[in-house]
Amino acid sequence: MQDVIIVGGSFAGLTAAMQLGRACRKVTVLDTGLNRNRYAEHTHNIFGHDGTPPGELLAEARKQVQGYPMVQIVSAKAQRVTGEPEDFRITTADGETISGRRLILSYGIVDQLPDIPGFAQCWGNTVIHCPFCHGYEVAGKRWGLLYSSPMSLHAPALYANWTDDITLILDGHDIPDEERHKLEKRGVTLEDGKLASITHDQGRLGGITLEDGTEIALEALYAHPRNRPSADLHAQLGLDMKDTPTGTMIAVGDMQATSRPGIFAAGDLVTGMHSVTFANNTGSLAAMGALHSMMA
């Protein structure tokens, strides 16, 4: 019987595992090795590790976590979950069953990329989602933003910190005239057409083409595709969920507690602010939540 089973061994899950290991708790981490940011060349805003490839960060983190003898990392996919506090049971795709007193779900999300030529090849490098993560490297250059929701209308005001050359691709969506006038007053170029393809050189964006043949030179394209949780354990457990502009996430309260006792969640599953920093913070809080619940 483990004290805590952690499903998902990327940044949030490993942070929780380290904290629990240092608390001398028995922990099993189940991980598929498919971290969401594996497409990115570098991670940023990580104190002491700015610019380090995410794979290198995770490899070093796994090595450090495995230095705690009460923590084991298992390369396996969690297939099924049952049980209650003090006796949760996870069955892996290999048929193994692991029992634990508490659960932390940190299996992240999967981006549902549109079927647009060049999009997947540039994703995480020059087709990006966060200016804080990637904006500095393309500051002062030509940026595009692909409309995904009304939230897209507010993004150019933020992006102006990095560049004054912003094109909003409305992708066939209508927006209120008032919003159009506000954006034009800010100097934002508006393109009404739908995105047809992306021109690139090994993931380095050169420009985009709209369905009407319009070509636009860009060096970065911000996009926010729909996403979904990368597993369905939350659905099996009947956890409360929250809608976001691009998908759904697990609803959590204090110390990352979900709607069911003994179950905590962390990482991209619980926040729309998708970054390593937020993942680490929520992982640490989830570990503390699990610890406090066992003490109680």
Side-chain angles (χ1 to χ4, degrees), residues 13 73 128 135:
I73 300 176
I128 44 190

Side-chain angles (χ1 to χ4, degrees):
M1 173 71 72
Q2 300 297 291
D3 288 312
V4 182
I5 304 171
I6 300 173
V7 184
S10 188
F11 295 96
L14 292 176
T15 298
M18 179 172 286
Q19 191 145 324
L20 290 164
R22 291 187 58 80
C24 300
R25 294 291 184 163
K26 293 174 64 178
V27 179
T28 292
V29 181
L30 297 175
D31 184 40
T32 63
L34 300 175
N35 53 296
R36 183 193 182 202
N37 67 347
R38 63 190 183 276
Y39 303 103
E41 293 181 355
H42 306 97
T43 54
H44 295 286
N45 293 320
I46 309 299
F47 187 70
H49 297 282
D50 190 51
T52 303
E56 289 184 17
L57 274 178
L58 285 173
E60 180 61 24
R62 291 188 189 102
K63 179 181 177 181
Q64 292 179 4
V65 168
Q66 288 174 313
Y68 295 94
M70 299 184 76
V71 179
Q72 61 174 341
I73 300 176
V74 179
S75 296
K77 179 178 176 61
Q79 196 81 31
R80 180 170 170 75
V81 58
T82 58
E84 299 291 339
E86 307 303 329
D87 189 21
F88 290 108
R89 296 173 184 268
I90 296 280
T91 302
T92 71
D94 302 326
E96 180 183 3
T97 298
I98 303 168
S99 299
R101 298 176 60 197
R102 299 291 186 271
L103 290 179
I104 294 177
L105 306 181
S106 55
Y107 44 78
I109 59 177
V110 174
D111 295 296
Q112 298 172 292
L113 304 184
D115 188 20
I116 294 172
F119 195 104
Q121 292 85 347
C122 295
W123 179 243
N125 290 310
T126 51
V127 175
I128 44 190
H129 77 286
C130 172
F132 295 101
C133 300
H134 306 284
Y136 185 83
E137 283 66 35
V138 287
K141 297 186 178 180
R142 295 167 294 188
W143 287 20
L145 168 63
L146 182 62
Y147 182 98
S148 59
S149 76
M151 293 285 290
S152 301
L153 302 179
H154 306 291
L158 172 64
Y159 295 171
N161 290 321
W162 287 269
T163 184
D164 58 4
D165 191 337
I166 302 171
T167 298
L168 174 60
I169 299 98
L170 292 172
D171 208 36
H173 293 89
D174 290 324
I175 64 172
D177 288 340
E178 181 182 358
E179 295 295 337
R180 184 181 290 270
H181 294 152
K182 286 181 182 178
L183 289 162
E184 289 174 341
K185 189 174 181 179
R186 282 187 171 274
V188 177
T189 300
L190 299 177
E191 293 286 350
D192 292 291
K194 292 183 68 67
L195 179 62
S197 64
I198 293 173
T199 303
H200 67 97
D201 180 10
Q202 297 183 334
R204 298 296 172 188
L205 185 68
I208 64 170
T209 302
L210 305 182
E211 284 188 348
D212 64 3
T214 300
E215 296 182 352
I216 304 168
L218 296 175
E219 287 148 297
L221 176 65
Y222 284 81
H224 304 90
R226 300 288 298 176
N227 56 63
R228 59 172 176 78
S230 66
D232 69 350
L233 302 190
H234 58 283
Q236 294 181 35
L237 292 163
L239 300 181
D240 289 350
M241 305 294 289
K242 288 177 62 176
D243 290 330
T244 76
T246 57
T248 59
M249 64 184 184
I250 297 176
V252 294
D254 292 342
M255 307 299 282
Q256 305 302 123
T258 71
S259 56
R260 282 191 56 177
I263 304 173
F264 303 83
D268 286 352
L269 275 176
V270 302
T271 175
M273 301 293 288
H274 299 153
S275 75
V276 173
T277 301
F278 280 96
N280 291 346
N281 290 344
T282 57
S284 180
L285 284 172
M288 293 301 297
L291 282 169
H292 286 178
S293 72
M294 287 186 285
M295 291 162 54

